[in-house]
Structure formats: structure tokens, C-alpha cells
Amino acid sequence: MTAGVDLGVPATQAISSDEDVVRVRQLVRTTAVAARLSLVDQTKLVTAASELARNTLIYGGGGSAEVTTVEDGRRRGVRIVFADQGPGIPNLDEAFTDGFTTGGGLGLGLSGARRLVDDFDIWTAVGEGTRITVTKWSR
Ligand SMILES: Nc1ncnc2c1ncn2[C@@H]1O[C@H](COP(=O)(O)OP(=O)(O)O)[C@@H](O)[C@H]1O
Ligand SMILES: [Mg+2]
């Protein structure tokens, strides 16, 4: 088994290139398989992670993704924390509106990612950065 996917042991992937976004996808897939998420849930989480990693790269100016297997007593899941020290998001309502983009994208990344996971938490501060935590639980 790949190091860092054991229960409770976080694996951190730096995000500073397109290749790193691919690495985040691979790490999330491996961790989701180890946590016994269903194939559908694996794919939902990988898709969300891909969007959030790309935002970290493009808008956050790079950062990191920390992937951890978590347990709440009844369920096992995979948690990912995306962190950057970029410009932050001045208006969250706007940023989560389908179709809103400041970068010529489709504007569906944040809203789509939130729908694809079970838990979604965002902290952001203008001039400080953005930190998004998502969790997908096994059923
Ligand atoms: N990590 C981030 N740092 C700063 N701004 C962000 C970040 N992630 C998202 N945003 C802002 O939120 C907007 C919406 O993001 P998203 O829904 O993924 O759409 P898109 O990537 O197509 O623009 C982005 O255009 C950007 O303005
Ligand atoms: Mg996006």
C-alpha cells in the first residue's frame, strides 16, 4: 500500500503545476479505494478534488492538498484539505453561483464540488488565502 493512505495518516501533495493536479487525483483515488468508498463515490470525490485542486493552482497561485482517511465510529471516509495563500475570495455567494467565473472557466467548480461531497467547509480571507475541507463518507 502507498505510504500515507493508512487510517489517520495524512498525505500531502503540493499543487504548483498541472502534473500536481493529476497527482492529487491519483492520491485521492488510491485513498478512496483503501477507505472502501463505492466506485461512484470514489469518482465523485476525485471529480470534486480535481476542480478544487485546479482552483488552488489557477486562482490561489498554488498551494497544497492534504488527504486523510477518517472515521467517525460508524463510517469511514476520506477528507481533503485544499489550502492556498492566494488573494482569497471576496464574495462567496457570487463564487458559488453556477456560471460565475473570474478566469474564463465554466464557473461550475465550486458549486459542483460542494454537491459531489458530503461535508464541505470553506474559509477564505481577502489577501490571506483560501482553505477548503471536503469529506466523502462510506455508506
Ligand atoms: N482558491 C481560490 N482562490 C481565489 N479565488 C478562487 C479560488 N477558488 C475559486 N475562486 C474564485 O471563484 C470563482 C469560481 O470558481 P469555480 O466555480 O471553480 O469556477 P471557474 O474555475 O470556472 O472560474 C473563480 O472564478 C474565482 O474567482
Ligand atoms: Mg474552477
Side-chain angles (χ1 to χ4, degrees):
M1 189 181 284
T2 311
V5 300
D6 299 297
L7 201 61
V9 180
T12 302
Q13 172 65 56
I15 302 173
S16 59
S17 67
D18 286 336
E19 291 72 29
D20 288 340
V21 174
V22 174
R23 291 186 183 102
V24 170
R25 292 176 64 99
Q26 291 167 342
L27 176 61
V28 171
R29 176 72 72 175
T30 307
T31 309
V33 169
R36 296 210 185 92
L37 263 58
S38 72
L39 186 55
V40 168
D41 285 346
Q42 290 169 29
T43 301
K44 286 179 178 176
L45 186 61
V46 170
T47 303
S50 190
E51 291 295 330
L52 297 173
R54 190 151 296 285
N55 283 352
T56 299
L57 177 65
I58 296 172
Y59 303 112
S64 61
E66 190 188 74
V67 185
T68 317
T69 306
V70 291
E71 254 185 356
D72 76 349
R74 295 177 297 130
R75 304 172 297 178
R76 190 172 284 193
V78 178
R79 177 164 295 156
I80 316 168
V81 181
F82 297 88
D84 67 61
Q85 297 185 303
I89 303 175
N91 185 331
L92 277 181
D93 285 343
E94 209 171 53
F96 278 94
T97 301
D98 284 350
F100 176 85
T101 179
T102 59
L106 291 176
L108 296 170
L110 281 177
S111 56
R114 185 163 60 179
R115 284 191 285 263
L116 288 167
V117 299
D118 297 316
D119 303 340
F120 188 105
D121 179 73
I122 183 165
W123 172 89
T124 186
V126 172
E128 290 184 48
T130 300
R131 185 180 178 90
I132 296 176
T133 303
V134 300
T135 308
K136 192 82 185 160
W137 294 102
S138 58
R139 288 161 207 291

